[in-house]
Amino acid sequence: MELLGSTLTATYAHPSPTPTNFLPAISTMASTYRDRFPHYNLTHSLSLPWRPSTYYKAASNWPTLDPYCTRSQRVSESTMLPFVSNRTTLFTRYTPDDWYRSNLTNFQESNTSRHNSERLRVDTSRLIQDKYQQTRKTQADSTQNLGERVNDIGFWKSEIIHELDAMIGETNKLTDIKKRLERALMETEAPLQVARECLFHREKRMGIDLVHDEVEKELLTEVDIILCCQERMKLYLDKAIAQLAANRAAQHELEKDLSDKQSAYRIDDKCHHLRNTSDGVSYFRGVERVDATVSVPESWAKFTDDNILRSQSERAASAKLRDDIQNVLVVTANEMWNQFNKVNLAFTNRIAETADAKNKIQTHLAKTLQEIFQTEMTIESIKKAIVEKSAFLKVAQTRLDERTRRPNIELCRDMAQLRLVNEVYEVDDTIQTLQQRLRDAEDTLQSLAHTKATLEHDLAVKANSLYIDQDKCMSMRRSFPSTLRLVGFC
């Protein structure tokens, strides 16, 4: 709003010059006039009414002022002559020219006073209008500045609300994936326990089967992999906890700033809508001298901008951490599953090898048992043959013994005698051979019995190994968690 006029310097602001031709100097009058009361201009305050009651109450019938009436009366009584015809000779009166000049002076002074008063009224009216327009313009500028301030606060408030919503959403997402990580970490305990139980059960193998085979190597590798995965999960769990604390700190700063912005917005909006006719408008003397401000627009905007930038930085770090946790969950699940499959494959191969060895042992044991049976039958036949050969030896020896009783010359070394002697030697040699073969057969039977015991023990060892690997270990490994559970899903 522009000013309609400008303030001029009024002439009434300067004192009016004293007229030089109002009355003649007192020194030029007759000496008889000195005791007379001189004429004074009647002046009064411009702030008084047009007809001030004070003037009329103080005025009297005499042409002089009221305070001097008593004095003038005493002067008049003392100088009054008993004869009126002698007045012209006793004291001096004004001349007609003085009288006209006095009237003219009064008229001019009246015109001047009216002119000054008119100018004063015009200038005052214009001053009032100009000050009114200036005051309205100042108030409009203040209202506009308050409106702009309200808009600025509203803008930053909306930015804070937007960032606060984004931060709350990011915090909720990080909390969810943290819970997934905790569930996945808990799910790794079961596979670790299974692997350790398998190692403990395999320590119960017996004899030659207590070997550091491929299954045991893979089981140890599985334990190491699970422990390594748990360490990585715990590391990222600690990072998630720290990041959640940072997110909540940034969120707290945003909420505090938003609360301050809402209070400031409410106050400034109330000030923006205040009018001259509004309720609650009053004087607060000296409030303009109170400076309770702690910031300037630049630092005020920078404070909120720093809070938003900090929140955005923490939110970006939180999003990156979420991606890292997701990748860790997938990688660890794949590693554990791959090693689980390797262990299962090693178990399958080892079980197949053990089963094949057991089958072969059973086959050899069956053959050994058959051979033992055959050997025992052979021993019996040898014993029977020895018994049979003993009868032949008895017959031959009995013949020789009987032929020793031939008399005299009859004791001839004839062919019969020679043949009987040869027969005895042959039969005895046969018996010795059969007895040696009987001893060999009995030794073979003992060896077969030892082999049978060895095979039976080995068969028991293989059966125990099969029971441990197939029944105990593989039955436990059927409960390995699924991939969804290993990545934290229920």
Side-chain angles (χ1 to χ4, degrees):
M1 186 180 293
E2 297 181 356
L3 297 176
L4 300 178
S6 60
T7 305
L8 300 178
T9 304
T11 58
Y12 55 79
H14 302 281
S16 303
T18 305
T20 57
N21 56 355
F22 176 67
L23 287 176
I26 298 177
S27 61
T28 61
M29 297 183 183
S31 60
T32 58
Y33 185 71
R34 291 179 181 177
D35 294 332
R36 301 292 293 174
F37 184 74
H39 176 74
Y40 291 97
N41 290 328
L42 297 176
T43 60
H44 56 83
S45 175
L46 294 176
S47 63
L48 295 176
W50 180 250
R51 289 179 180 270
S53 60
T54 56
Y55 174 75
Y56 286 96
K57 288 180 182 179
S60 64
N61 293 330
W62 293 91
T64 57
L65 294 175
D66 182 65
Y68 300 96
C69 290
T70 305
R71 182 175 177 273
S72 62
Q73 288 176 2
R74 290 197 302 267
V75 173
S76 299
E77 292 174 357
S78 64
T79 58
M80 184 178 296
L81 294 178
F83 301 100
V84 179
S85 60
N86 293 330
R87 291 172 64 185
T88 57
T89 60
L90 294 177
F91 53 87
T92 303
R93 290 285 188 178
Y94 291 105
T95 62
D97 291 335
D98 292 336
W99 183 80
Y100 285 112
R101 284 196 299 273
S102 178
N103 291 336
L104 181 61
T105 300
N106 290 334
F107 297 155
Q108 290 178 352
E109 184 178 359
S110 176
N111 290 332
T112 302
S113 297
R114 284 186 288 103
H115 179 68
N116 291 337
S117 177
E118 183 179 359
R119 292 190 60 187
L120 175 63
R121 287 187 293 103
V122 173
D123 289 345
T124 300
S125 177
R126 184 172 58 187
L127 177 64
I128 291 173
Q129 185 66 25
D130 291 346
K131 293 302 180 183
Y132 175 74
Q133 296 295 335
Q134 182 180 357
T135 304
R136 285 190 61 185
K137 184 178 183 299
T138 302
Q139 189 182 64
D141 292 340
S142 298
T143 303
Q144 182 180 0
N145 290 335
L146 283 172
E148 293 175 356
R149 182 63 176 176
V150 168
N151 291 333
D152 292 341
I153 296 175
F155 168 76
W156 284 111
K157 187 174 71 169
S158 63
E159 290 293 321
I160 292 175
I161 291 175
H162 176 74
E163 180 59 31
L164 185 60
D165 293 338
M167 174 55 75
I168 291 175
E170 178 60 34
T171 302
N172 292 334
K173 292 179 181 178
L174 185 59
T175 303
D176 293 339
I177 201 166
K178 172 180 167 290
K179 292 180 180 178
R180 284 180 52 195
L181 184 59
E182 291 174 347
R183 288 194 296 267
L185 183 59
M186 292 177 60
E187 290 295 333
T188 58
E189 289 296 329
L192 180 62
Q193 187 66 24
V194 167
R196 287 175 173 174
E197 286 292 332
C198 290
L199 288 172
F200 293 152
H201 283 303
R202 285 176 62 83
E203 290 295 323
K204 299 177 182 178
R205 291 174 298 171
M206 299 180 298
I208 193 60
D209 277 11
L210 194 62
V211 63
H212 185 64
D213 54 2
E214 189 67 24
V215 176
E216 188 169 352
K217 294 179 182 178
E218 295 296 337
L219 281 173
L220 293 174
T221 304
E222 184 179 25
V223 171
D224 293 338
I225 288 177
I226 294 176
L227 290 175
C228 181
C229 291
Q230 286 182 346
E231 290 297 326
R232 280 185 287 174
M233 288 180 181
K234 291 178 181 178
L235 176 62
Y236 277 97
L237 184 60
D238 294 337
K239 289 183 179 180
I241 293 173
Q243 187 62 48
L244 280 175
N247 288 357
R248 292 191 181 98
Q251 178 181 343
H252 174 71
E253 292 297 328
L254 289 177
E255 289 174 348
K256 182 180 178 182
D257 197 3
L258 178 61
S259 177
D260 295 342
K261 290 288 186 297
Q262 289 174 345
S263 299
Y265 184 87
R266 184 175 61 255
I267 293 172
D268 284 351
D269 186 65
K270 178 181 177 182
C271 294
H272 179 251
H273 290 89
L274 277 179
R275 298 295 181 266
N276 296 337
T277 58
S278 300
D279 296 334
V281 177
S282 180
Y283 289 107
F284 297 90
R285 300 295 184 183
V287 71
E288 67 278 359
R289 293 190 295 273
V290 177
D291 188 6
T293 58
V294 295
S295 64
V296 295
E298 291 76 11
S299 62
W300 173 80
K302 186 178 183 298
F303 177 78
T304 303
D305 188 56
D306 290 342
N307 287 337
I308 293 176
L309 289 178
R310 177 190 175 187
S311 177
Q312 290 175 347
S313 176
E314 296 296 341
R315 191 156 50 86
S318 178
K320 184 178 182 301
L321 181 60
R322 283 194 298 109
D323 294 338
D324 293 341
I325 292 175
Q326 182 65 33
N327 293 333
V328 166
L329 289 175
V330 173
V331 170
T332 53
N334 291 334
E335 289 180 358
M336 287 187 287
W337 259 107
N338 291 335
Q339 186 59 32
F340 173 76
N341 292 328
K342 288 181 180 180
V343 173
N344 288 348
L345 181 61
F347 262 114
T348 303
N349 295 333
R350 186 61 177 173
I351 289 172
E353 291 176 357
T354 306
D356 182 65
K358 179 183 175 183
N359 294 331
K360 290 181 178 179
I361 291 172
Q362 288 177 340
T363 302
H364 283 279
L365 181 60
K367 292 180 179 180
T368 301
L369 292 175
Q370 181 67 29
E371 188 62 28
I372 289 175
F373 176 75
Q374 296 293 335
T375 303
E376 289 176 348
M377 295 298 295
T378 301
I379 291 175
E380 291 297 328
S381 63
I382 292 174
K383 289 181 178 180
K384 184 179 179 181
I386 291 174
V387 171
E388 291 176 351
K389 297 299 184 292
S390 296
F392 288 98
L393 180 61
K394 290 178 181 180
V395 171
Q397 287 180 353
T398 301
R399 286 177 178 176
L400 286 175
D401 182 71
E402 287 294 330
R403 292 193 70 180
T404 59
R405 295 181 178 94
R406 289 177 301 173
N408 300 317
I409 196 67
E410 294 298 328
L411 290 171
C412 178
R413 187 180 298 268
D414 53 3
M415 289 300 298
Q417 184 67 25
L418 293 175
R419 185 59 186 167
L420 285 173
V421 171
N422 289 333
E423 181 182 3
V424 169
Y425 283 114
E426 286 179 2
V427 174
D428 185 62
D429 184 62
T430 300
I431 290 173
Q432 293 297 325
T433 302
L434 288 175
Q435 288 178 348
Q436 182 63 37
R437 183 59 53 87
L438 178 60
R439 288 191 295 271
D440 293 341
E442 288 176 350
D443 292 340
T444 302
L445 183 60
Q446 292 295 326
S447 177
L448 287 174
H450 182 269
T451 302
K452 171 181 170 291
T454 302
L455 291 176
E456 287 177 347
H457 179 267
D458 201 9
L459 184 63
V461 168
K462 296 297 184 291
N464 179 67
S465 299
L466 279 177
Y467 173 73
I468 291 173
D469 290 345
Q470 188 170 11
D471 294 339
K472 286 192 173 182
C473 294
M474 291 303 293
S475 62
M476 287 190 302
R477 297 186 67 81
R478 294 191 185 98
S479 61
F480 195 83
S482 63
T483 305
L484 290 179
R485 296 176 66 89
L486 287 177
V487 296
F489 291 107
C490 294

